[in-house]
Amino acid sequence: MKTLNTFIRTAALVATVSSLAAAASTAAAAPAADTRATTVVFVHGAFADGSAWDKVIALLQSKGLHVVSVQNPLSSLADDVAATRRALDKQAGPVVLVGHSWGGVVISEIGQHERVKALVYVAAFAPSENQSVADLAKDYPKPEGSSFIVADKDGFLTLTPEGMSKHFAQDVPAAQTRIMAATQGPVSGKSFEDKVTVAAWRTRPSWYILSEQDHMIQPALQKAMAQKISARIVTLPTSHVPQLSRPKQVADAIYAAAVYQPKPDVHPPTTRR
């Protein structure tokens, strides 16, 4: 009988170990979060174009994400929102909407689009309802780079090559900043007075990439906006274009937004009377 009991215990132990091994094997084989249905839509800012996201695009595509980079006309907030809406309307699945600089105003206005699941602000303006860029910046010192902005006779603004290399992208190689100066999109100066009617960050989870060495938007203003929108903040020691000088860190933040799954609300919603 003693021998039989020993045999039974040994058999049970072997079965348990086998079950645990099988479970571990299954867990190890489990795929990572499936992001194939998710699209990242990029919205560039002033003094730039859609190619400003090239380095980040390649990194996200390597992770299996679909990517679209909007080419903003930069002629008004309404025109840029319309261009972004067209890009969003074409997507079949959820979208992470990413805005840089002025692009933050655009994504704040259009970010409640039904496809948008999350917002990522990259050294970007994050206005509240009825706020403009001018409203956001008025209580902060004038950034160094603003002295290198020039206007043409039609009121469109460009950044000088010196401003691009020393203040917009001072941590980017000179050869690249020369190309950036040549390909930048002129922006209507009146756009900076356009006020948003919607603040999409109130209804969408948001991330904010804060540039500590920014000469175009004061870092203190960036911090205040990031805190206001209750964003998950990633702070980088970069110029105004972290997507070019620290593309991996920027891509990682965007990927985190793409795989983010909100925790289910364990409490029933409260009905307001």
Side-chain angles (χ1 to χ4, degrees):
M1 180 64 70
K2 182 177 180 180
T3 302
L4 178 60
N5 289 340
T6 300
F7 173 78
I8 292 173
R9 286 196 298 271
T10 301
L13 178 61
V14 170
T16 300
V17 171
S18 298
S19 297
L20 291 173
S25 176
T26 301
D34 186 1
T35 59
R36 288 174 296 179
T38 301
T39 298
V40 177
V41 174
F42 287 109
V43 182
H44 67 80
F47 317 121
D49 67 1
S51 67
W53 301 104
D54 284 0
K55 293 182 179 180
V56 177
I57 287 172
L59 291 169
L60 293 176
Q61 287 176 333
S62 71
K63 292 178 178 290
L65 288 165
H66 179 56
V67 182
V68 173
S69 188
V70 178
Q71 294 288 355
N72 284 330
L74 299 176
S75 46
S76 69
L77 174 59
D79 290 345
D80 288 355
V81 166
T84 303
R85 180 181 288 109
R86 287 193 293 272
L88 293 173
D89 287 345
K90 293 177 181 178
Q91 308 313 314
V95 169
V96 175
L97 188 58
V98 185
H100 172 242
S101 192
W102 159 256
V105 181
V106 179
I107 71 171
S108 295
E109 180 74 6
I110 190 60
Q112 288 187 349
H113 188 284
E114 62 181 2
R115 295 296 184 200
V116 177
K117 63 172 280 187
L119 303 171
V120 181
Y121 292 81
V122 181
F125 292 105
S128 300
E129 298 88 344
N130 203 39
Q131 272 191 324
S132 66
V133 167
D135 293 330
L136 286 167
K138 66 182 180 181
D139 295 327
Y140 290 83
K142 184 179 178 182
E144 296 174 67
S146 62
S147 299
F148 296 82
I149 297 172
V150 294
D152 65 16
K153 62 182 180 61
D154 297 316
F156 279 79
L157 311 177
T158 55
L159 194 61
T160 67
E162 183 181 3
M164 187 68 73
S165 63
K166 292 184 177 180
H167 297 288
F168 192 85
Q170 68 269 22
D171 53 358
V172 173
Q176 187 171 359
T177 63
R178 287 194 292 270
I179 294 173
M180 292 166 64
T183 60
Q184 66 178 294
V187 60
S188 171
K190 293 181 179 179
S191 296
F192 297 143
E193 298 177 1
D194 289 344
K195 298 178 185 290
V196 300
T197 61
V198 177
W201 47 263
R202 295 193 190 278
T203 60
R204 299 294 188 275
S206 300
W207 280 252
Y208 197 104
I209 298 174
L210 193 161
S211 296
E212 290 183 308
Q213 305 300 323
D214 200 314
H215 295 179
M216 302 303 296
I217 302 178
Q218 290 288 358
L221 172 56
Q222 292 185 41
K223 183 177 180 180
M225 292 186 292
Q227 291 175 338
K228 176 186 71 174
I229 69 175
S230 300
R232 295 156 181 81
I233 303 173
V234 177
T235 301
L236 298 176
T238 65
S239 70
H240 189 52
V241 285
Q243 68 269 36
L244 294 175
S245 58
R246 295 291 182 96
K248 183 182 183 303
Q249 289 89 336
V250 173
D252 287 346
I254 295 169
Y255 187 77
V259 301
Y260 173 75
Q261 296 292 336
K263 294 180 180 178
D265 189 356
V266 296
H267 301 290
T270 301
T271 302
R272 293 191 177 188
R273 299 183 183 276

